[in-house]
Amino acid sequence: MKKTILFVIDSLECAGAEKSLVTLLGLLDYTKYEVDLMMFGHGGGLEEFVPRDVNILPPLTYTEFSNLSIKKALFFSLKNFEFRKFASRINYSTSIRINKYKNSEKARIYWQSVSSVIEENPKEYDIAISYAQGVPTFYVAEKIKAKKKLAWVNVSYRLNEKDKKFQEYFYNNIDRIVAVSDSTRKIFLETFPVYNKKTTVLYDIVNPDLIFQMAEQNKGFNDGFNGLKILTIGRLDYQKGYDIALEACKLMKEKGMNFRWYVLGKGKLQKDIEDYIKINKLANHFILLGTTGNPYPYIKKADIYVQTSKFEGFGLAIAEARILNTPVVTTRFDAVYNQMIDNKNGLVVNMDGKSVSEGIIKLVKNKRLRTSIVKYLQIEKKGNTEDINKFYQLIG
């Protein structure tokens, strides 16, 4: 008889954890496992790459309710006597508007506001997996029946005392905690040393064959620009360090360089970034492309991949750039040395715009260094699909 597995994740927008999950799902043996996938947000660009063997569960009724306009939500509540749902939604929305919260704080406030009106999944699973910290972990811990529960930690994040105490309740109901790098595990255990024995490491699984195949599916850049092409991939939020990228872009423009810095991503900082671009006259240099389910043609055609993150659990986009032999310039975030060797497979620089711009210029002007980095990339080990066996060991 097949074992039943449930994966829970926020959505399948084009981001690191999401790409990691899609890769993992593509490697599973479906003769042995029956897999359900639950998401809090549907319609993400990576959904088309989910294997057909995976059963994507319909949206939760609260998710559908929260997507209604306020007017329609009020009408629905009055018609169906769902006053608690409406009150929960208003409570969360009001809190978020009034205060500037970190992601961990938003997750806590969301769950405190709406957990009592979110329905449980009635099915009992052999294994339930939260593939992201925050709301997916809260849901698996509190709303899912399973013989074994696992929670992924794929961001190196530090919590304040209030969030730490709140999250302890949920991690107490998790059997195994899985960090995506050694540094992520270390930082997690600084906050939660009590979970040392049940926290392990499993790197994001990267499948080179899939990436090579997808890199040939379209041409990527289509604006006819023939100068230096720089690429960054990531949500438009604080973690990804776009203030650093914009400062570096401005400095490079002032030096008269012929370049375009393309960004694949969307997020809450989009307007701030657009305002900075306009004020500093960077419209021809810093190009927001939105999102795509297939970033690999862009990575392949880029001259340099740049990661300006302030913290990462692993840095999956860097791994993908390395697979496609695209030189990398990256900031020195916590987990960076899990895969980067400075001056070997790319450059690791300080976390400021000046250092990033200098790293990019160094790669452009020092052709010998660039050639040696590309040669190193061509021969270094590609991917880690063999780690699917470690996943099987984890789920038993």
Side-chain angles (χ1 to χ4, degrees), residues 15 38 53 55 133 137 166 177-178 203 216 243 278 283 289 292 294 299 306 326 364 386:
M38 180 195 147
D53 296 288
N55 175 38
Q133 54 284 309
T137 294
F166 178 78
I177 299 165
V178 183
Y203 281 72
E216 300 299 327
D243 54 329
K278 185 176 181 180
L289 297 175
T292 173
N294 182 7
I299 298 174
V306 177
T326 301
V364 172
E386 68 278 3

Side-chain angles (χ1 to χ4, degrees), residues 346-363:
L347 300 181
V348 181
V349 301
N350 290 335
M351 207 171 283
D352 61 81
K354 184 173 183 289
S355 298
V356 171
S357 66
E358 288 173 350
I360 294 169
I361 293 168
K362 182 179 179 180
L363 267 187

Side-chain angles (χ1 to χ4, degrees), residues 105-118:
E105 294 172 313
K106 284 182 181 179
R108 168 174 53 79
I109 293 163
Y110 177 84
W111 198 252
Q112 288 173 331
S113 300
V114 308
S115 63
S116 64
V117 295
I118 289 181

Side-chain angles (χ1 to χ4, degrees), residues 85-103:
K85 275 187 180 179
F86 189 77
S88 297
R89 177 175 170 178
I90 294 299
N91 181 48
Y92 174 68
S93 300
T94 303
S95 298
I96 293 303
R97 286 196 190 98
I98 293 174
N99 301 287
K100 291 185 177 179
Y101 290 116
K102 295 179 181 178
N103 287 340

Side-chain angles (χ1 to χ4, degrees), residues 70-351:
I70 288 294
K71 185 177 179 180
K72 288 183 178 179
L74 178 58
F75 179 76
F76 176 89
S77 300
L78 292 170
K79 182 180 178 181
N80 296 281
F81 300 98
E82 293 280 7
F83 305 118
R84 289 172 62 235
K85 275 187 180 179
F86 189 77
S88 297
R89 177 175 170 178
I90 294 299
N91 181 48
Y92 174 68
S93 300
T94 303
S95 298
I96 293 303
R97 286 196 190 98
I98 293 174
N99 301 287
K100 291 185 177 179
Y101 290 116
K102 295 179 181 178
N103 287 340
S104 59
E105 294 172 313
K106 284 182 181 179
R108 168 174 53 79
I109 293 163
Y110 177 84
W111 198 252
Q112 288 173 331
S113 300
V114 308
S115 63
S116 64
V117 295
I118 289 181
E119 69 270 28
E120 295 182 358
N121 184 322
K123 185 174 176 179
E124 184 167 351
Y125 293 89
D126 292 306
I127 304 114
I129 298 172
S130 159
Y131 211 76
Q133 54 284 309
V135 174
T137 294
F138 305 158
Y139 190 89
V140 166
E142 197 168 70
K143 300 285 185 177
I144 296 294
K145 298 181 184 69
K147 295 173 184 174
K148 188 173 186 179
K149 297 183 179 183
L150 290 80
W152 254 242
V153 178
N154 40 43
V155 172
S156 295
Y157 70 123
R158 294 172 171 88
L159 302 177
N160 60 37
E161 193 62 28
K162 191 171 186 178
D163 285 312
K164 175 187 172 183
K165 287 182 178 178
F166 178 78
Q167 293 198 17
E168 276 181 347
Y169 164 78
F170 301 96
Y171 283 116
N172 283 340
N173 293 315
I174 297 293
D175 299 295
R176 294 287 282 172
I177 299 165
V178 183
V180 298
S181 69
D182 296 306
S183 62
T184 303
R185 180 181 187 273
K186 179 176 178 291
I187 292 168
F188 179 81
L189 291 177
E190 286 174 5
T191 304
F192 298 112
V194 68
Y195 302 129
N196 180 55
K197 289 185 178 179
K198 70 176 184 180
T199 303
T200 190
V201 174
L202 179 62
Y203 281 72
D204 285 331
I205 297 178
V206 183
N207 185 351
D209 292 339
L210 177 63
I211 290 172
F212 291 142
Q213 179 184 345
M214 292 177 67
E216 300 299 327
Q217 286 185 359
N218 64 60
K219 294 181 180 179
F221 305 106
N222 59 5
D223 57 1
F225 180 68
N226 293 318
L228 177 70
K229 294 184 179 71
I230 301 167
L231 179 67
T232 293
I233 301 173
R235 295 183 310 281
L236 307 184
D237 66 16
Y238 170 81
Q239 174 194 345
K240 302 299 181 179
Y242 282 104
D243 54 329
I244 298 171
L246 288 164
E247 182 188 354
C249 180
K250 182 181 176 184
L251 291 170
M252 290 167 59
K253 180 196 172 189
E254 290 170 355
K255 291 180 183 295
M257 293 188 66
N258 181 30
F259 73 98
R260 284 187 180 173
W261 191 324
Y262 302 89
V263 173
L264 287 171
K266 65 179 183 180
K268 60 187 178 183
L269 292 184
Q270 180 155 340
K271 187 179 184 305
D272 292 342
I273 292 171
E274 288 171 344
D275 289 345
Y276 188 99
I277 290 169
K278 185 176 181 180
I279 292 168
N280 293 280
K281 297 180 171 56
L282 298 176
N284 291 324
H285 295 282
F286 204 84
I287 317 294
L288 300 179
L289 297 175
T291 59
T292 173
N294 182 7
Y296 304 117
Y298 294 90
I299 298 174
K300 183 179 179 182
K301 293 292 176 65
D303 297 299
I304 300 173
Y305 180 81
V306 177
Q307 191 84 26
T308 53
S309 296
K310 297 180 179 181
F311 55 93
E312 290 283 351
F314 175 62
L316 186 58
I318 291 176
E320 293 166 339
R322 289 169 46 223
I323 283 172
L324 292 169
N325 302 323
T326 301
V328 173
V329 175
T330 176
T331 47
R332 193 174 285 106
F333 57 84
D334 288 316
V336 72
Y337 292 115
N338 286 307
Q339 56 176 315
M340 291 299 296
I341 307 171
D342 191 22
N343 282 290
K344 286 286 190 181
N345 60 359
L347 300 181
V348 181
V349 301
N350 290 335
M351 207 171 283

